[in-house]
Amino acid sequence: MIRMVKTLSPNAFRTLTAFADALAVPVAVFVSLYLHAPGSAWLSFLQTNVSILPALMLAVATVSICLPSLAGTYFSLTGNSTGRHLILSCFVTVLNALGLAVFGSHAPFGVYAVFAMAYFIQCNLSHVVLNALKPVKNPVQVDALDGASKENEWSADATPHLLGRNGVAPRMEGARSYADRVVFISGAGGSIGSELSRQVLACRPRKIILFELSEPALYQVHQSIDRAAVGTNIEVVPVLGSITDERKVQKTLCDYSVQVVLHAAAYKHVPLVELNPLEGLRNNVVGTQVLVSQSVAAGVERFVLISSDKAVRPINVMGASKRFCELVVQDVSRRFAGQSLPVFSIVRFGNVLGSSGSVLPLFRDQVRRGGPVTVTHPDVSRFFMTVQEAVHLVLHAGSIARGGEVFVLDMGKPVKIETLARRVVQGAGLSVRDEENPTGDIELKFIGLRRGEKLREELTLTSKRAATSHSRIFRAIESGLSEFEVAAALRAMRRALANEDEDDARANACKWVAGTGDVLESVARASKTKRDSVCAVSLSNRTKRSTSIGAGCP
């Protein structure tokens, strides 16, 4: 029943509400008369008592019954507080009772008082349902007055509207893998890391280590998780640091005797990493290698790498860095093949609704500003999940891992970004302005593919995949690099990073990461040409300055 109600469109829900209110008034009046004059006598009672007082009494009852429901609907749709509706409902109900006490000489006061209270409860219940459904503002909830938006706008409730499918029902069979254990979460202040922290807390670990580079992000997630942990005897420890800091990572893992590592820390904004490739590769690749090696040294039981669909045949630096991370984890897991511990696994999935790297916050901001909503290409599509769905499946996949698996989440069918943009606009109660609707509210504008952007993402390198105990989790059957090849790739990458050589770093990615091919090479050539021209200009300027001010100046 609840699922059926949640799938109703705004117009359908408003129509049903109006019909229920219209039908309820005469039903209430006739039932009241029937209770006052039992049996068939109520008809004659109605015929013989049509005078000014009963008519006035019925008018007061009708208005008092309708007004709270209409007020509740209005305040729900306009986003005003529940308090205003409750106050108005109480006020009208009191007026109803007083009116019936004065004019209800032909009917017992108690009968109408009961119906007044029943409708008061019904109206407030309708308000709660409306407030949950948010028919006008779901899922974006853009406030027309001040542009404010809610924090939990990309929750599982938004899934049917935005993605055209139902969400994943939560099941916590894997909680035992995290219960009474010390769990280390890297990137704990990020979109996925903070949700990992919340869901791990529900698994009743002994201690949660929140490891984060950003001080503001760490402060926020620590405050949130620490409040939620009150009364549970679960210790929440915030640690400020970078996963590339080998000594810091080693000390943290050893001092707190970490048993489970959930590695979510990564630079994931494709355009930013494309413009800052060395930092992206250093943080993602070297950071993962440091965390993996120190986890082995510290005797960690389980290690789960959060990966991305951009790691499959990548054409950008961010995707190549994530594929590098997968190769590092696969290499280590092969070394411990046949042993019960440690267990290293990878979970790969697509975009997360509302994360810092997602397009949805951008759409929301563009709608708030009045447009245009920008889409790179009409045919661009992506896989999407809510952060709650993704994290739930990540934790379950980590619990069923036996070592070396690349788990892939079933994210349903890919969603066209243009379709998603239209749904966000329509979800805000606005219309899209395009060729078919030139008078719409928000313009939809195509701006062209960005550097390193694909039209479509993939989740596996091959078409081969095996089922697991969970219907939404599959195991990809893929091969990796040998131990010698991974070691050589890491040495070459560290050398390029130490020399601050972008071309060498990109060339290394092209050599070892499957699928990068000509795209990264062409980007490397373009960046080299641009940098060479800049260096030539700089050298020319320095020569001119030295000539003009004397050879003794540096």
Side-chain angles (χ1 to χ4, degrees):
M1 181 64 181
I2 295 176
R3 288 184 179 179
M4 183 183 71
V5 172
K6 285 189 175 183
T7 57
L8 289 176
S9 66
N11 289 333
F13 187 82
R14 285 195 287 271
T15 301
L16 287 176
T17 304
F19 177 77
D21 289 336
L23 184 63
V25 173
V27 169
V29 172
F30 287 136
V31 171
S32 299
L33 292 173
Y34 176 79
L35 291 176
H36 177 65
S40 60
W42 70 274
L43 288 174
S44 60
F45 175 84
L46 181 62
Q47 293 171 354
T48 58
N49 288 276
V50 177
S51 62
I52 184 64
L53 288 180
L56 187 57
M57 177 187 68
L58 292 177
V60 171
T62 301
V63 171
S64 62
I65 287 171
C66 289
L67 190 56
S69 185
L70 294 175
T73 303
Y74 170 78
F75 285 131
S76 295
L77 297 181
T78 55
N80 284 296
S81 64
T82 305
R84 293 185 185 181
H85 172 246
L86 289 174
I87 292 172
L88 182 61
S89 297
C90 290
F91 178 73
V92 173
T93 303
V94 170
L95 285 183
N96 180 32
L98 292 175
L100 291 176
V102 174
F103 299 113
S105 58
H106 293 279
F109 169 77
V111 172
Y112 289 99
V114 168
F115 276 97
M117 291 307 299
Y119 268 88
F120 171 72
I121 295 172
Q122 179 267 330
C123 294
N124 284 284
L125 186 60
S126 298
H127 174 74
V128 171
V129 174
L130 276 166
N131 199 41
L133 290 176
K134 302 240 187 301
V136 168
K137 297 182 179 181
N138 186 33
V140 185
Q141 303 172 27
V142 176
D143 194 306
L145 297 178
D146 57 12
S149 59
K150 312 301 180 188
E151 292 182 359
N152 296 326
E153 54 203 339
W154 311 118
S155 65
D157 292 338
T159 306
H161 177 79
L162 285 175
L163 306 185
R165 62 171 176 81
N166 292 325
V168 176
R171 300 185 308 176
M172 294 305 295
E173 295 95 331
R176 62 183 180 276
S177 297
Y178 311 97
D180 198 33
R181 284 173 168 77
V182 180
V183 181
F184 174 102
I185 301 173
S186 71
S191 308
I192 295 174
S194 58
E195 183 63 25
L196 276 169
S197 304
R198 281 186 282 271
Q199 293 198 26
V200 166
L201 184 67
C203 297
R204 298 287 177 173
R206 185 165 71 254
K207 188 179 300 183
I208 300 179
I209 312 299
L210 305 176
F211 197 87
E212 173 59 51
L213 176 63
S214 167
E215 181 190 23
L218 180 61
Y219 174 79
Q220 290 181 1
V221 70
H222 178 236
Q223 291 293 306
S224 174
I225 302 303
D226 206 34
R227 283 195 301 268
V230 172
T232 63
N233 294 324
I234 300 173
E235 185 179 356
V236 181
V237 182
V239 178
L240 194 62
S242 169
I243 55 172
T244 60
D245 186 340
E246 193 162 8
R247 290 187 178 181
K248 181 70 173 181
V249 171
Q250 178 189 38
K251 179 174 174 57
T252 304
L253 294 176
C254 293
D255 286 356
Y256 295 105
S257 302
V258 172
Q259 296 164 288
V260 179
V261 171
L262 303 175
H263 179 29
Y267 288 154
K268 57 185 179 181
H269 290 263
V270 171
L272 286 180
V273 175
E274 206 65 26
L275 293 172
N276 301 274
L278 295 179
E279 284 307 311
L281 290 166
R282 182 178 289 111
N283 183 78
N284 295 359
V285 178
V286 176
T288 297
Q289 194 270 333
V290 166
L291 189 55
V292 165
S293 61
Q294 293 305 319
S295 294
V296 172
V300 166
E301 297 175 4
R302 287 183 180 272
F303 185 107
V304 181
L305 168 68
I306 311 297
S307 189
S308 166
D309 58 354
K310 293 176 178 59
V312 179
R313 280 179 277 274
I315 65 170
N316 52 63
V317 176
M318 183 271 180
S321 70
K322 294 301 288 183
R323 179 56 184 157
F324 243 113
C325 296
E326 292 184 352
L327 293 173
V328 169
V329 174
Q330 285 177 312
D331 173 57
V332 174
S333 67
R334 280 195 297 270
R335 300 184 200 175
F336 294 96
Q339 300 182 27
S340 58
L341 295 174
V343 175
F344 285 83
S345 61
I346 301 163
V347 184
R348 185 192 295 160
F349 54 91
N351 293 36
V352 172
L353 285 176
S355 69
S356 60
S358 171
V359 73
L360 286 172
L362 174 63
F363 287 166
R364 177 195 63 189
D365 184 62
Q366 290 174 337
V367 169
R368 183 191 304 143
R369 295 173 182 272
V373 172
T374 57
V375 178
T376 57
H377 193 280
D379 296 328
V380 169
S381 63
R382 293 290 182 267
F383 293 100
F384 283 97
M385 264 188 172
T386 67
V387 66
Q388 293 86 359
E389 289 179 310
V391 167
H392 164 68
L393 293 177
V394 164
L395 292 177
H396 190 88
S399 70
I400 63 176
R402 295 295 176 265
E405 295 96 338
V406 179
F407 292 110
V408 177
L409 305 186
D410 179 6
M411 306 192 70
K413 296 180 180 179
V415 179
K416 292 186 68 174
I417 302 300
E418 179 188 359
T419 302
L420 197 63
R422 291 179 179 275
R423 288 173 180 170
V424 170
V425 173
Q426 293 163 359
L430 303 170
S431 60
V432 175
R433 184 166 72 248
D434 54 17
E435 293 180 358
E436 297 180 359
N437 183 24
T439 61
D441 301 309
I442 302 293
E443 179 188 2
L444 184 62
K445 184 178 180 181
F446 295 101
I447 60 174
L449 289 173
R450 298 171 300 182
R451 190 175 76 178
E453 183 178 13
K454 286 182 177 181
L455 282 177
R456 299 171 185 83
E457 298 288 1
E458 306 168 89
L459 287 170
T460 57
L461 288 168
T462 69
S463 58
K464 298 179 181 179
R465 63 181 192 177
T468 68
S469 57
H470 197 291
S471 61
R472 301 295 296 272
I473 302 174
F474 296 89
R475 181 170 57 84
I477 301 176
E478 301 172 354
S479 60
L481 299 178
S482 67
E483 182 178 347
F484 172 79
E485 289 173 321
V486 172
L490 285 172
R491 282 196 303 271
M493 181 61 69
R494 285 181 174 273
R495 182 180 64 249
L497 295 175
N499 295 331
E500 294 290 319
D501 192 336
E502 290 187 13
D503 298 330
D504 194 13
R506 291 180 187 271
N508 190 45
C510 292
K511 179 178 180 180
W512 298 108
V513 177
T516 53
D518 298 333
V519 178
L520 279 180
E521 289 178 355
S522 63
V523 171
R525 286 195 298 270
S527 64
K528 183 178 186 301
T529 302
K530 180 178 179 181
R531 191 164 54 254
D532 288 345
S533 63
V534 172
C535 291
V537 172
S538 176
L539 180 60
S540 174
N541 291 337
R542 289 177 59 189
T543 303
K544 290 179 181 178
R545 286 199 304 272
S546 64
T547 303
S548 61
I549 64 178
C553 297

